[in-house]
Amino acid sequence: MTKQETSFQPATLPDLAALKARFAPLFERIREGANQRERERQLPFEQIKWLKEAGFTALRVPVEFGGSGASLEQFFDLLIDLAAADTNIVQALRGHFALVEDRLVAPRAEGEVWLRRFGKGEIAGNAWSEIGKVKLGETITKVTPEGEGFRVDGEKYYSTGTIFADWIDTYAVRSDNGAPVVAILRADQPGIDRLDDWTGFGQKLTGTGTTTFKGAALEAEGLVPFETRFRYQTAYYQLVLDAVLSGAALAAVQDVAGKVAARKRAFSHGSGTVARQDPQVLQVVGRARAFASAARAATIEAARAADRAYETSLADDKAADDAANIAAELASAEAQVAAAELALRATSDLFNALSASAADTALGLDRYWRNARTAANHNPLIYKERILGDHAVNGTEPVFIWQIGAVEN
C-alpha cells in the first residue's frame, strides 16, 4: 500500500470567494473590539469561540471530518484577513493550525481521530520552548511511561494559545530512551497549569506564557515520534508570522486612511487644503498601502510553495519531496524578510499622515507597529537573511530545525 493510499488526499478545493464572503462579517465583528481589548488586556476567549463555531479553525480539515478542505494558499489568504482584524488571534492559533497540518500528513489511522476532533471545533495550543538554564540542544520536559499511558513533567514558556485550547501540543523527550517526541495532552486536566504571564510590549493577547506539567496524563494516541512531524513545519510556523505582519500593515493602512478622510484640520505650511486632499499626505498613505500589499503578496506566494510541499508529502517521490521542502523553507524566509521590512515601515511611516493627535493612546495606532515588531522578532530574521544568502551563493540547504538554549563561554 502506498503512502498516498494511507494519507488524506487533497479534495476538490472550496471556492475562495465564497470563503471570504462567509468569514468577512465575522472578521469585521472581531475588528470592532480589537483596540479596546488591547488597551484593557482582554484575552480574546469569546472571539476565538466565534471562530471555532464558524468553522474557521477547521479550514484545512477535510470536508469528510467537518472542515472546509482549503488549500494552504487559500488558508493563508484568509489568515491575513483575520490578522488585519486582530493579529493576536492569528498568533494565538498558530500552534493549533500547525498541529492540524501535522495530522493531515500523518498516516490515516493516526490522523483521523484528531481531524475529527478539530472538525468539531476543538483546538490546540503550543508549548515547545523552554527558558532559563536549559542548555542548547537540551530538553528538560520528560514523557515517562506510566500504567496504560504516560505522564508528562516539565515547564514551558512562549506557550502561545494554550490558555484558549482544548489540547496542548508540546515537545519533550522520553525518560526511558531519550527519544524526542511530540506529546498532545488534554488541556483541562489536573497537573497542567496555564498562565498568561507574557510581558512583551506587543502581541499581548496571544495567551503566550508559562505552561507547567506535573504528572499530566498522556494517552498513547497522543504520543508522536518527533521524526514523523511534518517536514515543512518551520516554513509553516513562519508563514503564520508572515500573515501577522501582513495583517498588521493592512489594518494600519485602513485605520489611518479612515482618520485622514475624517480629519478637518490643516497646516498653514502644508498644501492649504484638508488632509484628505493634501498630496503629500496621500502619498504617505499610498506608499504604506503598497508596502502592505507587497507583504501580503510575498506571504501568499510562499504559501503556494508550502502547498507543493504538502502535495509531495503525500507521494512516494523522496527527491521531489526534498526539493519541495527546500523551496518552501526558502520562500517562507524570503517572505519573512520582506514582510517584516515592509510592515515595520508601513506601520511607522503612516504616522506622517497625521499630526500629534495620532499619539493619543485611545486611538491605539501604536499597536500596529508594536505587534509587527514583536512578530518580526520571532525566528530572528538576521539568520534567515544569512541562510538565504548562503543558498544563493553556495547552494547550501536551509536549516529546517533549530533550538535555542544556554551555551558555555
Side-chain angles (χ1 to χ4, degrees):
M1 187 173 291
T2 67
K3 189 173 182 180
Q4 283 186 323
E5 293 170 322
T6 59
S7 299
F8 301 98
Q9 297 301 302
T12 302
L13 295 178
D15 179 69
L16 179 59
L19 287 174
K20 281 181 171 285
R22 171 182 164 189
F23 290 112
L26 176 54
F27 294 163
E28 184 56 35
R29 187 180 175 196
I30 289 171
R31 183 199 308 274
E32 288 172 358
N35 185 27
Q36 180 179 349
R37 288 193 299 273
E38 182 113 2
R39 292 202 317 270
E40 299 176 4
R41 198 181 178 93
Q42 298 175 357
L43 293 179
F45 285 98
E46 185 176 18
Q47 290 69 32
I48 289 177
K49 180 182 178 183
W50 297 343
L51 291 165
K52 291 166 63 173
E53 293 172 345
F56 187 84
T57 57
L59 271 176
R60 285 280 286 158
V61 174
V63 174
E64 62 181 303
F65 302 130
S68 297
S71 70
L72 281 172
E73 181 181 346
Q74 292 175 325
F75 167 71
F76 280 104
D77 195 330
L78 288 159
L79 202 64
I80 293 170
D81 291 346
L82 175 58
D86 190 332
T87 57
N88 289 278
I89 292 175
V90 168
Q91 192 166 348
L93 294 172
R94 183 178 178 225
H96 165 70
F97 289 127
L99 185 57
V100 171
E101 198 68 23
D102 181 63
R103 296 297 81 194
L104 273 174
V105 303
R108 190 177 183 91
E110 298 175 18
E112 182 173 341
V113 63
W114 295 102
L115 294 175
R116 288 189 183 279
R117 288 167 176 160
F118 299 147
K120 293 177 182 178
E122 295 181 24
I123 62 172
N126 164 76
W128 280 51
S129 298
E130 296 177 351
I131 60 174
K133 296 181 180 179
V134 60
K135 296 180 180 178
L136 183 63
E138 183 180 66
T139 300
I140 297 176
T141 302
K142 299 294 188 294
V143 171
T144 304
E146 186 172 271
E148 297 294 319
F150 304 85
R151 61 176 287 158
V152 179
D153 297 276
E155 185 173 284
K156 300 288 188 177
Y157 191 61
Y158 301 116
S159 306
T160 304
T162 58
I163 204 166
F164 308 107
D166 304 289
W167 300 91
I168 301 176
D169 175 24
T170 192
Y171 179 75
V173 294
R174 290 189 58 145
S175 62
D176 52 351
N177 58 21
V181 294
V182 175
I184 311 170
L185 307 90
R186 185 168 288 282
D188 61 347
Q189 62 165 295
I192 295 180
D193 191 22
R194 296 172 284 173
L195 301 178
D196 175 37
D197 56 354
W198 164 241
T199 56
F201 63 66
Q203 294 295 87
K204 295 180 178 182
L205 309 182
T206 58
T208 296
T210 302
T211 301
T212 304
F213 304 99
K214 295 181 179 179
L218 172 67
E219 300 297 326
E221 68 183 13
L223 186 65
V224 180
F226 178 73
E227 64 266 20
T228 67
R229 186 82 170 181
F230 71 112
R231 291 186 66 190
Y232 52 98
Q233 62 179 310
T234 52
Y236 187 98
Y237 279 118
Q238 184 55 58
L239 274 168
V240 176
L241 295 175
D242 295 343
V244 167
L245 290 162
S246 302
L250 290 163
V253 171
Q254 180 178 346
D255 199 349
V256 171
K259 288 175 171 51
V260 168
R263 186 169 173 77
K264 303 299 183 183
R265 291 157 62 86
F267 286 93
S268 61
H269 59 305
S271 66
T273 61
V274 293
R276 69 177 181 274
Q277 295 175 347
D278 187 310
Q280 288 183 283
V281 170
L282 296 179
Q283 179 182 3
V284 169
V285 176
R287 185 178 177 85
R289 176 179 174 176
F291 288 167
S293 295
R296 178 177 198 139
T299 301
I300 292 176
E301 179 62 28
R304 295 191 186 105
D307 253 329
R308 291 191 287 275
Y310 166 66
E311 292 165 1
T312 58
S313 74
L314 304 182
D316 295 305
D317 188 336
K318 186 177 184 305
D321 195 43
D322 288 345
N325 275 273
I326 290 171
E329 184 67 27
L330 293 171
S332 75
E334 290 168 349
Q336 175 186 6
V337 173
E341 175 74 15
L342 294 167
L344 290 171
R345 290 183 65 183
T347 54
S348 178
D349 291 353
L350 276 167
F351 281 87
N352 291 325
L354 298 167
S355 63
S357 60
D360 189 332
T361 56
L363 298 180
L365 295 180
D366 62 308
R367 76 184 191 274
Y368 300 119
W369 182 89
R370 288 188 293 99
N371 291 338
R373 180 66 268 176
T374 302
N377 269 47
H378 288 62
N379 306 335
L381 60 83
I382 58 173
Y383 301 135
K384 296 293 189 67
E385 291 173 337
R386 187 206 73 235
I387 288 168
L388 288 168
D390 198 8
H391 181 269
V393 175
N394 301 309
T396 306
E397 286 191 11
V399 178
F400 291 98
I401 303 295
W402 60 86
Q403 291 178 293
I404 186 171
V407 294
E408 295 181 2
N409 293 327

